[in-house]
């Protein structure tokens, strides 16, 4: 039986093996960089970061905690970030004085991460860094300091491996390019 995503898939951009190899590398690199840190907290940005977080945390070899922050751009169904971001669900942990690493799925305009960085920085962590699975640098309108990048990608709308297409298909093990002609105009 078809899983239903096929008609929306133009091409596979990053296959499962390539994703896993790169996430493993990131896990090893981050573990080396935080080898002397005994108070590391990974903050996953929901919902898109959850699949990346689940793999990254299992490739890491330094002790760490995880927490979740859900944010959204105002409105629904838009492919473009409108620059207005809000917290839908806040952290359960205090981060003051702690070493924080934000785990994000993709950085596009940068509005979402600018908001998240400002909110978290105001809580006075000991350090605040960012790992993103994907980066679309040509789309950036707000400058974001990124510490770790999995893949730089072109200006294409992608889904799978945590990223949704109208809230579905986050479970795909690969990142695919959306066939825009397959979508209704408001998605
Ligand atoms: P930004 O605020 O424009 O940087 O957008 C960041 C957020 O938009 C990400 O956290 C994603 O949830 C979403 N996003 C950006 N590009 C894509 C994409 O190609 N596919 C799915 N979601 C995306
Ligand atoms: Mg999204």
């Amino acid at each position: 039986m078809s899983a239903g995503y096929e008609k929306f898939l133009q091409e596979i951009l990053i296959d499962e093996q390539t994703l896993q190899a790169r996430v493993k590398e990131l896990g090893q690199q981050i573990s080396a960089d935080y080898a002397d840190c005994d108070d590391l907290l990974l903050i996953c940005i929901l919902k898109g970061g959850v699949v990346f977080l689940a793999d990254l945390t299992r490739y890491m070899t330094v002790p760490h905690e995880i927490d979740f922050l859900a944010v959204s751009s105002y409105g629904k169904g838009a492919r473009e970030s409108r620059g207005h971001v809000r917290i839908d669900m806040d952290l359960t942990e205090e981060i003051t004085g702690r070493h924080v690493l934000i785990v994000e799925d993709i950085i596009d305009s940068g509005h979402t991460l600018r908001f998240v960085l400002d909110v978290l920085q105001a809580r006075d962590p000991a350090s605040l860094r960012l790992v993103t699975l994907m980066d679309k640098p040509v789309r950036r309108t707000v400058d974001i300091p990124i510490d770790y990048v999995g893949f730089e990608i072109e200006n294409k709308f992608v889904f799978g491996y945590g990223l949704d297409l109208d809230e579905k298909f986050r479970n795909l093990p690969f990142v695919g390019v959306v066939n825009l002609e397959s979508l209704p105009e408001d998605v």
Side-chain angles (χ1 to χ4, degrees):
M1 198 183 85
S2 152
Y5 68 85
E6 292 87 346
K7 67 173 185 266
F8 301 114
L9 180 65
Q10 185 177 312
E11 57 171 332
I12 292 180
L13 186 66
I14 312 172
D15 66 27
E16 181 173 5
Q17 206 188 347
T18 308
L19 273 170
Q20 291 298 323
R22 183 68 184 127
V23 177
K24 184 175 185 180
E25 274 178 8
L26 287 170
Q28 290 168 341
Q29 189 187 345
I30 291 165
S31 298
D33 292 352
Y34 286 91
D36 298 325
C37 175
D38 59 5
D39 191 23
L40 174 59
L41 176 65
L42 304 190
I43 294 182
C44 173
I45 308 302
L46 295 175
K47 303 171 187 169
V50 73
V51 176
F52 177 38
L53 181 275
D55 283 339
L56 183 68
T57 185
R58 287 178 292 172
Y59 285 125
M60 284 178 55
T61 53
V62 283
H64 59 278
E65 298 179 27
I66 61 174
D67 202 354
F68 299 90
L69 180 71
V71 296
S72 57
S73 298
Y74 294 4
K76 197 175 178 293
R79 265 173 247 164
E80 310 275 325
S81 168
R82 294 184 184 80
H84 301 282
V85 185
R86 64 163 182 239
I87 295 179
D88 291 331
M89 190 191 80
D90 208 336
L91 303 172
T92 61
E93 306 287 331
E94 300 286 339
I95 63 166
T96 305
R98 306 193 62 185
H99 293 281
V100 171
L101 178 64
I102 300 168
V103 180
E104 173 65 311
D105 56 352
I106 189 165
I107 304 180
D108 191 56
S109 70
H111 287 299
T112 303
L113 253 295
R114 185 72 267 157
F115 173 82
V116 168
L117 285 167
D118 290 348
V119 165
L120 297 184
Q121 194 60 60
R123 299 179 188 183
D124 217 11
S127 67
L128 184 59
R129 290 190 190 160
L130 167 62
V131 54
T132 186
L133 179 70
M134 288 177 282
D135 181 21
K136 287 188 206 172
V138 300
R139 296 266 303 168
R140 196 78 84 259
T141 59
V142 186
D143 192 38
I144 299 292
I146 310 177
D147 299 282
Y148 307 95
V149 179
F151 302 90
E152 267 194 16
I153 67 168
E154 291 171 51
N155 181 16
K156 296 196 166 143
F157 195 69
V158 294
F159 72 125
Y161 199 73
L163 291 94
D164 70 300
L165 187 54
D166 202 15
E167 291 299 327
K168 298 185 185 69
F169 310 124
R170 297 185 193 273
N171 57 320
L172 297 175
F174 54 81
V175 172
V177 177
V178 178
N179 172 11
L180 293 176
E181 282 166 21
S182 70
L183 297 182
E185 274 187 7
D186 60 338
V187 174

